[in-house]
Amino acid sequence: MKTSSILKNAPLKLLFAVIIILFTGVSVTAANDGNPSGNIVKNIPEGVAQQWQTSVGPVVTGSVDFDALPSRARKFLSKHCDGHAVVKCNKTFSTGEYDIQLADGINFRFDSKGNVIEAEAPEGYSLSSPLLKAVVPGKLYHLLIHNGFYESVEAVHRDREGYRITVADPVFKAVTFDPSGVLTLVVND
């Protein structure tokens, strides 16, 4: 069997078209002698084409529309960051977490339910007192005020172990608290 006769087979054309679609994410049409319309693969609907990637392998993270954020995250941003434009909104598909960057450089990470799990100020800046109060529990916020850290907090990270607060302090690099607000560790520079 000659190579040219193999390429004339509709099943091989279909396979070739599907491979091109998977690797390029664009719509493909191919001639088919037995099909009066001349197309094996119709144009891909726009919504489907947007979900495809242009590289090989699973999608790990990708840009999402702000409206795709959980409602709790949208409400938090509207209430505490009103007036600051969202310039980046990405989702990590394996964990369901969302990374948000505001125009002023503040970065947030939200879990799949919309809870803040990380807030980070841009390099050389600290989180504002009202924003810090919104990110950490009241008891922890009062401890930060009492210990003089509330004006120097660069980042807050929350996980099951508690809170890790990165501070701009000449002596301390970070302080960690358990979920109930008890100081567990002070990291020296």
Side-chain angles (χ1 to χ4, degrees), residues 99-165:
D99 292 315
I100 307 297
Q101 183 178 11
L102 301 180
D104 63 358
I106 295 176
N107 292 305
F108 289 99
R109 179 169 286 208
F110 295 93
D111 64 16
S112 61
K113 296 177 182 175
N115 299 311
V116 177
I117 54 175
E118 193 170 308
E120 184 177 348
E123 180 93 21
Y125 292 91
S126 60
L127 297 174
S128 69
S129 186
L131 185 57
L132 182 61
K133 187 175 184 177
V135 172
V136 298
K139 180 179 179 182
L140 180 52
Y141 179 73
H142 292 295
L143 283 171
L144 291 170
I145 289 174
H146 179 72
N147 291 308
F149 290 124
Y150 71 98
E151 291 182 342
S152 61
V153 174
E154 296 176 335
V156 175
H157 176 78
R158 178 187 62 84
D159 59 19
R160 284 186 227 140
E161 305 294 320
Y163 292 85
R164 180 181 176 91
I165 314 286

Side-chain angles (χ1 to χ4, degrees), residues 8 27 29 35 53-56 67 76-77 84 87 101 110 116 119 121 128 132 138 154-155 160 163 168 175:
K8 289 183 181 179
S27 62
T29 59
N35 185 350
Q53 63 183 26
T54 58
S55 63
V56 178
D67 294 331
F76 176 87
L77 291 169
H84 293 100
V87 295
Q101 183 178 11
F110 295 93
V116 177
S128 69
L132 182 61
E154 296 176 335
R160 284 186 227 140
Y163 292 85
V175 290

Side-chain angles (χ1 to χ4, degrees), residues 4-25:
S4 61
S5 66
I6 292 174
L7 293 178
K8 289 183 181 179
N9 289 332
L12 286 176
K13 290 179 185 177
L14 179 60
L15 177 62
F16 181 69
V18 169
I19 290 171
I20 289 174
I21 290 170
L22 290 176
F23 286 106
T24 64

Side-chain angles (χ1 to χ4, degrees), residues 21 25-28 41-52:
I21 290 170
V26 298
S27 62
V28 176
V41 180
K42 302 285 185 190
N43 287 335
I44 300 170
E46 189 174 317
V48 174
Q50 291 173 353
Q51 295 173 1
W52 290 7

